[in-house]
Amino acid sequence: VQTCALPIYDGSVLYFADNRGTVYVDADGSNQRVRKKLEAPFPGESPDGKWYVTTRYGKPGFFIAPIGVNIGGPETRHVVKSAAACCEIARWSPDSKYLLYTAYEGSSRNCLQLWTTNLETGESIQITGTGTPSEGLKHCVYVDSAQWSPDGSSVLFLEDGTLSGVYRLFLVDPDGGNPRQLLRDDSFGGPTWDAGAYAWSPDGRAIMFGVLRVW
Protein backbone atom coordinates (compact mmCIF):
# COMPACT_ATOMS: atom_id res chain seq x y z
CA VAL A 1 0.00 0.00 0.00
CA GLN A 2 1.43 3.37 -1.03
CA THR A 3 -0.94 5.58 0.97
CA CYS A 4 -2.87 5.10 4.18
CA ALA A 5 -6.50 4.10 3.84
CA LEU A 6 -8.93 7.02 3.95
CA PRO A 7 -12.68 6.84 4.60
CA ILE A 8 -15.33 8.07 2.18
CA TYR A 9 -18.22 10.02 3.72
CA ASP A 10 -19.94 7.70 6.23
CA GLY A 11 -16.96 5.36 6.57
CA SER A 12 -18.63 2.46 4.74
CA VAL A 13 -15.99 2.59 1.98
CA LEU A 14 -12.22 3.05 2.24
CA TYR A 15 -9.78 3.87 -0.54
CA PHE A 16 -6.02 3.59 -0.86
CA ALA A 17 -3.38 3.45 -3.59
CA ASP A 18 -1.08 0.57 -4.42
CA ASN A 19 0.69 -0.64 -7.56
CA ARG A 20 -2.67 -1.47 -9.16
CA GLY A 21 -3.99 2.08 -8.90
CA THR A 22 -6.78 3.44 -6.68
CA VAL A 23 -8.40 0.61 -4.73
CA TYR A 24 -11.80 0.80 -3.02
CA VAL A 25 -12.92 -1.66 -0.36
CA ASP A 26 -15.93 -1.88 1.96
CA ALA A 27 -15.14 -1.14 5.60
CA ASP A 28 -15.53 -4.81 6.55
CA GLY A 29 -12.79 -5.78 4.06
CA SER A 30 -15.12 -7.16 1.39
CA ASN A 31 -15.86 -6.09 -2.19
CA GLN A 32 -12.39 -4.84 -3.09
CA ARG A 33 -12.25 -3.22 -6.53
CA VAL A 34 -9.71 -1.25 -8.54
CA ARG A 35 -10.63 1.85 -10.49
CA LYS A 36 -9.89 1.23 -14.15
CA LYS A 37 -9.53 3.76 -16.93
CA LEU A 38 -12.77 5.62 -17.73
CA GLU A 39 -14.48 4.43 -14.56
CA ALA A 40 -15.81 7.22 -12.34
CA PRO A 41 -13.98 7.64 -9.01
CA PHE A 42 -15.45 7.84 -5.54
CA PRO A 43 -16.91 9.80 -3.88
CA GLY A 44 -19.38 10.82 -6.55
CA GLU A 45 -22.91 11.36 -5.32
CA SER A 46 -23.83 14.68 -3.71
CA PRO A 47 -25.29 14.51 -0.18
CA ASP A 48 -28.69 15.68 -1.48
CA GLY A 49 -28.71 12.80 -3.95
CA LYS A 50 -29.17 15.02 -7.02
CA TRP A 51 -25.70 15.19 -8.60
CA TYR A 52 -22.63 13.15 -9.42
CA VAL A 53 -19.10 14.51 -9.75
CA THR A 54 -16.27 12.89 -11.65
CA THR A 55 -13.11 13.48 -13.65
CA ARG A 56 -12.75 12.77 -17.36
CA TYR A 57 -9.56 11.50 -18.93
CA GLY A 58 -8.05 14.09 -21.23
CA LYS A 59 -10.08 16.93 -19.68
CA PRO A 60 -8.89 19.09 -16.76
CA GLY A 61 -10.85 19.62 -13.58
CA PHE A 62 -14.19 18.17 -12.54
CA PHE A 63 -17.59 17.59 -14.13
CA ILE A 64 -21.02 17.17 -12.57
CA ALA A 65 -24.19 15.67 -13.99
CA PRO A 66 -27.60 14.79 -12.57
CA ILE A 67 -27.87 11.35 -10.99
CA GLY A 68 -28.86 8.79 -13.60
CA VAL A 69 -27.35 10.73 -16.52
CA ASN A 70 -24.15 9.66 -18.23
CA ILE A 71 -21.21 12.02 -17.81
CA GLY A 72 -20.53 13.72 -21.14
CA GLY A 73 -24.12 14.33 -22.23
CA PRO A 74 -25.79 17.74 -22.66
CA GLU A 75 -26.70 17.92 -18.96
CA THR A 76 -23.04 17.70 -17.93
CA ARG A 77 -21.42 20.82 -16.45
CA HIS A 78 -17.67 21.41 -16.48
CA VAL A 79 -17.54 23.06 -13.06
CA VAL A 80 -13.77 23.12 -12.38
CA LYS A 81 -11.74 23.79 -15.53
CA SER A 82 -8.31 24.51 -14.09
CA ALA A 83 -5.53 22.25 -15.35
CA ALA A 84 -3.89 22.71 -11.94
CA ALA A 85 -6.74 20.78 -10.26
CA CYS A 86 -5.15 17.53 -9.22
CA CYS A 87 -6.18 13.95 -8.94
CA GLU A 88 -9.54 12.27 -8.72
CA ILE A 89 -11.41 13.30 -5.60
CA ALA A 90 -13.66 16.34 -5.25
CA ARG A 91 -15.60 16.29 -1.99
CA TRP A 92 -19.10 17.71 -1.73
CA SER A 93 -19.91 20.07 1.10
CA PRO A 94 -22.69 18.76 3.37
CA ASP A 95 -25.16 21.20 1.77
CA SER A 96 -24.14 20.08 -1.77
CA LYS A 97 -23.28 23.66 -2.76
CA TYR A 98 -19.45 23.44 -2.87
CA LEU A 99 -16.71 21.13 -4.08
CA LEU A 100 -13.43 20.79 -2.15
CA TYR A 101 -10.33 19.53 -3.97
CA THR A 102 -6.56 19.76 -4.22
CA ALA A 103 -4.78 21.81 -6.89
CA TYR A 104 -1.17 22.67 -7.65
CA GLU A 105 -0.05 26.07 -6.47
CA GLY A 106 1.20 28.27 -9.32
CA SER A 107 3.78 26.59 -11.52
CA SER A 108 4.78 24.17 -8.77
CA ARG A 109 4.14 20.49 -9.41
CA ASN A 110 5.26 19.29 -6.00
CA CYS A 111 3.04 21.35 -3.67
CA LEU A 112 -0.73 20.95 -3.55
CA GLN A 113 -3.17 23.32 -1.86
CA LEU A 114 -6.90 23.26 -1.11
CA TRP A 115 -9.55 24.97 -3.22
CA THR A 116 -13.32 25.21 -3.12
CA THR A 117 -15.74 25.94 -5.96
CA ASN A 118 -19.19 27.42 -5.42
CA LEU A 119 -21.44 25.50 -7.80
CA GLU A 120 -24.09 28.23 -7.89
CA THR A 121 -21.74 31.11 -8.80
CA GLY A 122 -18.83 29.20 -10.35
CA GLU A 123 -16.38 31.06 -8.10
CA SER A 124 -13.27 29.15 -7.00
CA ILE A 125 -11.14 30.22 -4.05
CA GLN A 126 -7.86 28.91 -2.70
CA ILE A 127 -8.14 28.24 1.05
CA THR A 128 -4.57 27.17 1.90
CA GLY A 129 -1.16 28.40 0.74
CA THR A 130 0.07 31.65 -0.76
CA GLY A 131 -2.19 34.67 -0.38
CA THR A 132 -4.61 33.03 2.06
CA PRO A 133 -5.08 33.45 5.82
CA SER A 134 -3.44 30.03 6.28
CA GLU A 135 -0.28 31.03 4.41
CA GLY A 136 1.69 31.26 7.64
CA LEU A 137 1.41 27.50 8.18
CA LYS A 138 3.90 26.92 5.33
CA HIS A 139 2.79 23.47 4.32
CA CYS A 140 1.68 21.48 1.29
CA VAL A 141 -1.53 19.44 1.40
CA TYR A 142 -1.55 15.66 1.02
CA VAL A 143 -3.37 14.71 -2.18
CA ASP A 144 -7.16 14.26 -1.84
CA SER A 145 -6.86 14.25 1.95
CA ALA A 146 -9.35 16.99 2.90
CA GLN A 147 -12.66 16.21 4.63
CA TRP A 148 -15.55 18.54 5.47
CA SER A 149 -16.80 18.52 9.03
CA PRO A 150 -20.34 17.06 9.26
CA ASP A 151 -21.85 20.56 9.56
CA GLY A 152 -19.60 22.10 6.87
CA SER A 153 -18.09 24.65 9.26
CA SER A 154 -14.47 23.49 8.90
CA VAL A 155 -12.15 21.37 6.78
CA LEU A 156 -9.76 18.73 8.09
CA PHE A 157 -6.66 17.90 6.04
CA LEU A 158 -3.24 16.28 6.19
CA GLU A 159 -0.05 18.09 5.24
CA ASP A 160 2.23 16.01 3.03
CA GLY A 161 5.62 16.60 4.63
CA THR A 162 7.19 18.26 1.57
CA LEU A 163 8.24 21.35 3.53
CA SER A 164 8.19 20.15 7.14
CA GLY A 165 9.29 16.52 6.80
CA VAL A 166 6.35 15.31 8.91
CA TYR A 167 2.63 14.63 8.41
CA ARG A 168 0.33 16.73 10.59
CA LEU A 169 -3.44 17.22 10.73
CA PHE A 170 -4.86 20.74 10.35
CA LEU A 171 -8.26 22.41 10.48
CA VAL A 172 -9.18 25.46 8.43
CA ASP A 173 -12.43 27.35 7.81
CA PRO A 174 -13.99 26.93 4.32
CA ASP A 175 -12.98 30.51 3.44
CA GLY A 176 -9.34 29.91 4.44
CA GLY A 177 -9.61 31.60 7.82
CA ASN A 178 -8.69 30.35 11.30
CA PRO A 179 -6.05 27.77 10.33
CA ARG A 180 -4.91 25.64 13.24
CA GLN A 181 -2.87 22.51 13.83
CA LEU A 182 -4.97 19.78 15.40
CA LEU A 183 -2.25 18.24 17.61
CA ARG A 184 0.82 19.69 19.26
CA ASP A 185 4.20 18.62 17.92
CA ASP A 186 5.06 17.06 21.29
CA SER A 187 1.72 15.22 21.67
CA PHE A 188 3.45 11.84 21.62
CA GLY A 189 6.49 12.63 23.70
CA GLY A 190 8.65 13.98 20.91
CA PRO A 191 8.52 16.11 17.77
CA THR A 192 8.92 13.32 15.20
CA TRP A 193 5.70 11.45 14.45
CA ASP A 194 3.30 11.17 11.52
CA ALA A 195 -0.49 11.25 11.52
CA GLY A 196 -2.21 8.42 9.67
CA ALA A 197 -5.81 7.58 8.78
CA TYR A 198 -8.46 9.87 10.28
CA ALA A 199 -12.20 10.53 10.30
CA TRP A 200 -14.81 12.82 11.87
CA SER A 201 -17.31 11.49 14.37
CA PRO A 202 -20.88 11.72 13.01
CA ASP A 203 -21.72 14.65 15.31
CA GLY A 204 -18.53 16.55 14.36
CA ARG A 205 -17.39 16.86 17.98
CA ALA A 206 -14.40 14.52 17.73
CA ILE A 207 -11.82 13.30 15.23
CA MET A 208 -10.43 9.78 15.21
CA PHE A 209 -6.89 9.43 13.90
CA GLY A 210 -3.97 7.03 13.78
CA VAL A 211 -0.28 7.64 14.36
CA LEU A 212 1.93 5.89 11.85
CA ARG A 213 5.23 6.07 13.69
CA VAL A 214 6.88 7.69 16.68
CA TRP A 215 10.64 7.97 17.20
Side-chain angles (χ1 to χ4, degrees), residues 15-62:
Y15 76 94
F16 60 90
D18 67 9
N19 57 8
R20 295 171 293 172
T22 302
V23 181
Y24 302 95
V25 60
D26 291 351
D28 63 2
S30 64
N31 193 24
Q32 187 173 127
R33 58 271 192 200
V34 180
R35 186 199 176 203
K36 298 179 176 64
K37 189 173 182 179
L38 301 182
E39 291 180 345
F42 288 94
E45 187 173 341
S46 60
D48 63 9
K50 297 179 180 180
W51 296 91
Y52 196 88
V53 63
T54 189
T55 55
R56 293 182 66 190
Y57 283 89
K59 298 283 187 179
F62 296 96

Side-chain angles (χ1 to χ4, degrees), residues 40-99:
F42 288 94
E45 187 173 341
S46 60
D48 63 9
K50 297 179 180 180
W51 296 91
Y52 196 88
V53 63
T54 189
T55 55
R56 293 182 66 190
Y57 283 89
K59 298 283 187 179
F62 296 96
F63 296 77
I64 64 171
I67 293 294
V69 173
N70 290 329
I71 292 287
E75 302 92 342
T76 300
R77 292 169 53 196
H78 194 178
V79 292
V80 177
K81 299 180 180 180
S82 171
C86 173
C87 311
E88 300 176 346
I89 305 298
R91 297 187 183 276
W92 293 94
S93 61
D95 60 9
S96 301
K97 294 181 179 180
Y98 294 84
L99 291 178

Side-chain angles (χ1 to χ4, degrees), residues 195-212:
Y198 49 92
W200 290 92
S201 64
D203 62 6
R205 299 177 64 183
I207 295 169
M208 178 185 70
F209 64 93
V211 178
L212 295 180

Side-chain angles (χ1 to χ4, degrees), residues 158-175:
L158 182 69
E159 68 168 322
D160 74 354
T162 297
L163 300 178
S164 67
V166 292
Y167 294 75
R168 294 286 193 264
L169 290 170
F170 289 87
L171 291 167
V172 66
D173 291 349
D175 62 359

Side-chain angles (χ1 to χ4, degrees), residues 78-153:
H78 194 178
V79 292
V80 177
K81 299 180 180 180
S82 171
C86 173
C87 311
E88 300 176 346
I89 305 298
R91 297 187 183 276
W92 293 94
S93 61
D95 60 9
S96 301
K97 294 181 179 180
Y98 294 84
L99 291 178
L100 172 71
Y101 53 93
T102 48
Y104 291 113
E105 184 168 49
S107 60
S108 172
R109 283 297 179 265
N110 61 1
C111 191
L112 290 166
Q113 301 297 346
L114 291 180
W115 289 70
T116 63
T117 292
N118 184 320
L119 297 176
E120 294 180 353
T121 66
E123 179 186 13
S124 297
I125 63 169
Q126 184 176 344
I127 66 171
T128 63
T130 303
T132 69
S134 58
E135 181 179 3
L137 294 178
K138 301 299 182 185
H139 57 250
C140 300
V141 176
Y142 194 87
V143 59
D144 294 339
S145 68
Q147 299 179 23
W148 295 91
S149 62
D151 65 358
S153 64

